[in-house]
Amino acid sequence: MATLLALYMRLIVPRWQTWYAIPLRLIVGYGFMEHGYAKLARGPESFAAILHAIGTPAPALMAWATVVVELVGGFAVFIGAFVPIASVPMAVVLLVAILTVHVPYGFSSIKLLSVDANGAHFGQPGYETDLLYLAGLCALVLGGSGPLALDRLLRRRADRTQASNFVFPIVPRIPRTVSRR
């Protein structure tokens, strides 16, 4: 029991606490890029038709904006760059998806309708997955991008630049009087 407690104490040492961000960044970033790429591969016009059907204003513009947010924002989160800034439009995309598409289907993201010889058949997904993405973005904004993130590299560079540009106030030199005998 003491060995398990010692192992647990080593795992919760503060130096390891920021490493949670790496798998979170990878899955959230990749997930967004995958969704953006799927919309791009099928043609933004197809996604614009869906947006038009649900009554979105300027569906062509919104389709392209969504694709760009998902690809660029997903990549930024993936590499840990500008996460607090990139998270804002990403959260907007998620909230719009929840409110316009997923709410009528409830919370659960998996709705098993039937199973036959061809396999499982699923219904429309609810808003569970979108909430998980939002929670991941919030965790990254509040807790930071973690190690191996571009944000950390940029912060170090900025700190070095500020330190080298810092000018100490001029302190008048007081001449030392040395007696020579």
Side-chain angles (χ1 to χ4, degrees), residues 55-94:
T56 303
L61 175 65
M62 296 312 258
W64 274 105
T66 302
V67 168
V68 169
V69 165
E70 290 178 346
L71 289 174
V72 174
F75 185 69
V77 168
F78 190 83
I79 64 172
F82 311 107
V83 172
I85 297 167
S87 293
V88 173
M90 294 168 77
V92 169
V93 166
L94 289 168

Side-chain angles (χ1 to χ4, degrees), residues 35 54-55 76 84 88 91 103 122:
H35 285 272
I54 62 172
V88 173
V103 165
F122 297 95

Side-chain angles (χ1 to χ4, degrees), residues 11 16 26-27 40 47 54 62 65 84 103 133 167 173 178 181:
L11 290 174
W16 295 107
L26 295 178
I27 192 62
L40 191 62
F47 185 56
I54 62 172
M62 296 312 258
V103 165
Y133 275 111
V167 179
R173 290 189 61 192
V178 179
R181 293 193 175 166

Side-chain angles (χ1 to χ4, degrees), residues 2 8 11-12 17 26 42-43 48 54 62 64 77-78 81 84-85 87 90 98 105 109-110 125 138 148 157 168 175:
Y8 176 72
L11 290 174
I12 63 168
Q17 288 179 348
L26 295 178
R42 289 185 194 113
I54 62 172
M62 296 312 258
W64 274 105
V77 168
F78 190 83
I85 297 167
S87 293
M90 294 168 77
I98 289 171
Y105 303 110
S109 62
I110 299 174
C138 287
L148 307 176
R157 183 174 291 166
F168 290 98

Side-chain angles (χ1 to χ4, degrees), residues 116-181:
D116 59 20
N118 293 325
H121 301 278
F122 297 95
Q124 293 294 326
Y127 54 89
E128 176 183 8
T129 305
D130 292 332
L131 286 179
L132 287 171
Y133 275 111
L134 277 171
L137 288 173
C138 287
L140 289 169
V141 168
L142 295 173
S145 301
L148 307 176
L150 190 58
D151 279 346
R152 185 170 280 197
L153 176 69
L154 294 173
R155 187 177 314 121
R156 280 190 201 139
R157 183 174 291 166
D159 289 346
R160 279 196 310 255
T161 303
Q162 286 176 350
S164 66
N165 290 338
F166 183 74
V167 179
F168 290 98
I170 299 174
V171 178
R173 290 189 61 192
I174 302 171
R176 250 181 10 176
T177 56
V178 179
S179 64
R180 295 183 190 192
R181 293 193 175 166

